Amino acid sequence: MADASKDMKDEDARYKNIPFPIIAKTYKANAGNLALTAEALGIDRSTLWQWRKQFPELEKMLNDYDESLGDLAESKLMMAINEGNLTAIIFYLKTKHKGRGYIEGQEIKATVQGAIKGMSQEEWKRRVRLTPSGTRD
């Protein structure tokens, strides 16, 4: 067991030598895909995800790129709307103008007052009335 933890520490030390700008550049080259970025860097996806959460500087670099992708997508959407693309127009109205009635279904907002109490196993059994075989009456 000691050998396995030593190997893990050696791997962690090796990974720390990847500069954040290289990670960000690789992330951008892989269109923001964490799995492809990790593979290109020779690390596990979970390691990259952990670094993203652990290091605010790296998180900011990757978030900046994610935001730029969102900006690009919105630009393309607006171009499609300007070209009269009906699908793009409908999508925009359903997502940005729900308040004007452009929704497919009903949105129900509710406020629950009071404490919500969990049900004990005994209460659950009484309500469901299970038979010894585990099926309902």
Side-chain angles (χ1 to χ4, degrees), residues 27-121:
Y27 185 74
K28 186 174 181 179
N30 287 286
N33 184 308
L34 277 180
L36 293 176
T37 302
E39 185 179 325
L41 294 169
I43 60 175
D44 289 336
R45 182 190 183 285
S46 61
T47 300
L48 182 55
W49 184 85
Q50 288 170 354
W51 288 353
R52 186 174 189 163
K53 299 301 168 207
Q54 183 180 358
F55 301 108
E57 181 185 352
L58 178 60
E59 173 77 2
K60 183 183 180 327
M61 289 176 162
L62 302 185
N63 281 347
D64 286 348
Y65 180 68
D66 290 340
E67 284 297 317
S68 72
L69 281 180
D71 292 343
L72 175 64
E74 286 179 349
S75 296
K76 296 292 185 179
L77 177 62
M78 294 312 295
M79 288 170 63
I81 289 170
N82 288 333
E83 292 170 359
N85 181 313
L86 186 57
T87 303
I89 293 167
I90 292 169
F91 176 80
Y92 180 82
L93 291 172
K94 285 182 180 179
T95 56
K96 293 288 189 175
H97 292 287
K98 292 178 183 179
R100 293 184 182 181
Y102 294 102
I103 56 175
E104 286 188 11
Q106 291 182 329
E107 285 188 12
I108 300 172
K109 294 182 182 181
T111 303
V112 178
Q113 294 180 341
I116 298 175
K117 155 184 137 158
M119 193 180 302
S120 73
Q121 220 172 10

Side-chain angles (χ1 to χ4, degrees), residues 1-13:
M1 192 65 131
D3 291 334
S5 74
K6 181 186 177 299
D7 290 343
M8 243 348 208
K9 287 179 184 173
D10 290 344
E11 285 182 19
D12 289 345

